[in-house]
Amino acid sequence: MAEMVTLSIDGREINTPAGTTILEAAKDANIYIPNLCSNEELTPYGSCRLCMVEIAQGKRARLVASCIYEVADGLEVKTNAERVLNVRKLVIELLLARNNKHPALRKIADELGVEETRFPVEQKGCILCGQCVRTCREVVGVSAIGFSGRGITRKVATPFLDFPPDCIACGSCVYVCPVQFIPMKEEKDVRTIINFDYPMQKCTKCGRYFAPIKQLEYFSKTTGLPLEHFETCVDCR
Amino acid sequence: MKARIKEIIDKYDTDKGFLVPILQDVQREFNYLQREVLHLVSAFLEVPISQLYELGTFYKAFSLEPRGRHEMKLCTGTACHVRGVPLIKDNIGRILQIQAGETTPDLEFTFETVNCLGACALGPILVVDGEYHGNISISKTNKILKKLGKKVKIDEES
């Protein structure tokens, strides 16, 4: 049993194991904190800054990102203080400047009472939450994509902006993206992610194209089973 | 090429923690971080190529493009700026026929601007291959470029 700590979030007393983050503790207690970059399958990253909360321990109060701040005994957390809401409004405005169309961002903006961003809209689409990069690295385990550049030139990219050699075309990055920035489509025997084409495997029994060949090769490599085992779709196996 | 990279990596005990020093050494050896080289480093160290690309584009000290034989860094900090760096920058750019941050096609010169070299009293400053030139002017930069073998048309007045 992990050691338990007691903290208060918005005046409510909460008991939670040490080591959890404020965001997780709040979620368990049904207290809503907006966030875009956190994902329980991934290590906390703290890039979107929407989950800012005010914490007080003793006299001093300060703002922290709740998704990367661990709970501690006697911590007083405010998720709705005026200071917190002001910061969140600014953050969502900055995010809207990168993408002012996506419903997920619009919804959070509405909740915060933000109608339009005061910043020039660049419509980059991607909000740099890093979920795709982290998923590829931590969940899929191939690290085919990464960030490139820094500051205003930071973006998610394949190495040398070229066909990613490690990519298995699983589409996890597409699935996890909170703003559906990475395009993927399937046409008969080809899956296209961004503008890279990956041939699909035809099921040896029913003839349906069911998965990218590269992904099946990866399965075969990681499980040690022969490739033939994966050339039949799950329904026919 | 492969053997040389292996040597560099061996020097660091094939430790992924020394990624940046390894890349620094590799860049020094091969002038810039070319694709094939990064792929080899990736294979030796078992580090995904995406991570190397990330590092290579993140740090200004790394270059994925070929570098010129001579490296010119012009300070554009405030003190240098007010003493006329914009004009000097235009002049160098015109003579080399490149923009700041580019390399001449013959790979002779790489011309970059930096934000402050911390020697404001000497401004404007131009660093050529590690050598600091203080209080430079357009005519002084012309002389420096001439010395490095660049044909400079003598301006009507300088």
Side-chain angles (χ1 to χ4, degrees):
Chain A
M1 245 331 256
E3 202 188 319
M4 297 297 277
V5 283
T6 311
L7 72 159
S8 91
I9 302 182
D10 292 343
R12 270 171 62 187
E13 201 165 276
I14 287 163
N15 252 312
T16 182
T20 47
T21 63
I22 296 177
L23 183 68
E24 284 166 337
K27 211 180 202 173
D28 289 343
N30 260 330
I31 296 168
Y32 170 70
I33 299 175
N35 65 81
L36 285 167
C37 71
S38 91
N39 185 325
E40 55 190 25
E41 300 295 331
L42 303 171
T43 32
Y45 193 58
S47 62
C48 76
R49 309 317 276 184
L50 263 175
C51 67
M52 297 298 280
V53 293
E54 188 183 81
I55 56 163
Q57 221 169 0
K59 264 188 194 165
R60 303 181 85 188
R62 59 194 182 104
L63 295 169
V64 295
S66 62
C67 69
I68 46 173
Y69 198 91
E70 281 183 15
V71 292
D73 245 332
L75 205 64
E76 279 171 44
V77 180
K78 285 185 190 147
T79 67
N80 276 314
E82 199 189 342
R83 201 172 156 204
V84 171
L85 294 179
N86 280 338
V87 172
R88 280 195 203 146
K89 276 181 191 165
L90 178 70
V91 170
I92 193 69
E93 281 193 51
L94 287 165
L95 291 173
L96 284 175
R98 293 186 67 89
N99 182 340
N100 71 353
K101 298 232 166 69
H102 197 273
L105 296 173
R106 279 275 159 214
K107 186 174 153 269
I108 293 173
D110 282 349
E111 288 165 6
L112 292 165
V114 171
E115 278 172 14
E116 232 5 282
T117 170
R118 74 189 88 161
F119 305 105
V121 178
E122 289 179 43
Q123 216 62 268
K124 291 203 165 120
C126 173
I127 55 163
L128 295 176
C129 69
Q131 282 201 62
C132 50
V133 173
R134 285 178 289 149
T135 303
C136 196
R137 185 172 306 163
E138 297 173 18
V139 180
V140 186
V142 296
S143 231
I145 52 172
F147 285 108
S148 90
R150 62 168 157 177
I152 54 166
T153 60
R154 186 170 171 87
K155 60 184 176 200
V156 171
T158 57
F160 303 98
L161 308 179
D162 224 343
F163 188 88
D166 299 326
C167 179
I168 59 166
C170 64
S172 301
C173 49
V174 177
Y175 174 79
V176 81
C177 179
V179 295
Q180 279 87 51
F181 176 64
I182 307 174
M184 176 169 95
K185 66 171 198 281
E186 244 165 63
E187 248 169 47
K188 261 177 67 191
D189 54 346
V190 177
R191 178 181 280 186
T192 309
I193 304 177
I194 313 174
N195 46 14
F196 306 118
D197 289 345
Y198 302 90
M200 301 283 280
Q201 175 68 45
K202 195 178 188 176
C203 174
T204 46
K205 287 202 182 125
C206 66
R208 191 164 62 94
Y209 290 101
F210 67 100
I213 294 174
K214 281 197 125 184
Q215 188 174 7
L216 299 175
E217 284 169 356
Y218 184 69
F219 285 164
S220 160
K221 205 180 94 192
T222 46
T223 55
L225 290 166
L227 189 57
E228 293 78 53
H229 175 78
F230 294 102
E231 282 174 347
T232 319
C233 75
V234 189
D235 296 345
C236 302
R237 226 176 266 163
Chain B
M1 187 160 89
K2 211 169 167 176
R4 188 69 195 101
I5 293 170
K6 182 96 184 72
E7 231 170 85
I8 291 169
I9 290 171
D10 279 346
K11 209 170 76 191
Y12 293 97
D13 288 338
T14 324
D15 187 345
K16 289 173 202 174
F18 289 106
L19 214 49
V20 171
I22 288 173
L23 288 185
Q24 280 175 324
D25 285 4
V26 166
Q27 168 155 305
R28 206 167 299 137
E29 180 76 23
F30 299 102
N31 174 23
Y32 71 106
L33 298 176
Q34 53 204 103
R35 226 179 240 238
E36 299 73 39
V37 169
L38 282 189
H39 275 288
L40 285 172
V41 174
S42 153
F44 279 134
L45 283 176
E46 290 172 5
V47 169
I49 185 74
S50 64
Q51 213 172 321
L52 296 180
Y53 183 73
E54 209 168 300
L55 274 177
T57 54
F58 186 89
Y59 292 109
K60 256 206 158 156
F62 293 132
S63 172
L64 300 175
E65 305 280 313
R67 311 278 296 171
R69 201 151 65 94
H70 300 294
E71 228 172 43
M72 312 186 75
K73 285 182 185 155
L74 184 66
C75 180
T76 55
T78 313
C80 293
H81 182 89
V82 294
R83 292 190 199 166
V85 153
L87 293 172
I88 296 170
K89 183 175 141 194
D90 289 349
N91 182 54
I92 297 177
R94 202 182 62 237
I95 292 169
L96 297 177
Q97 304 220 317
I98 49 170
Q99 300 279 315
E102 293 179 350
T103 300
T104 51
D106 60 3
L107 296 186
E108 278 294 308
F109 295 93
T110 293
F111 174 43
E112 280 171 341
T113 56
V114 290
N115 288 329
C116 183
L117 291 161
C120 304
L122 297 176
I125 307 169
L126 177 70
V127 185
V128 182
D129 296 332
E131 197 184 326
Y132 282 61
H133 298 267
N135 285 318
I136 49 151
S137 56
I138 288 182
S139 58
K140 270 192 185 170
T141 53
N142 284 348
K143 261 183 216 156
I144 293 166
L145 283 168
K146 233 186 218 170
K147 229 179 171 176
L148 294 174
K150 188 81 197 165
K151 279 194 192 100
V152 181
K153 278 181 215 124
I154 306 293
D155 287 10
E156 305 85 79
E157 213 172 305
S158 59

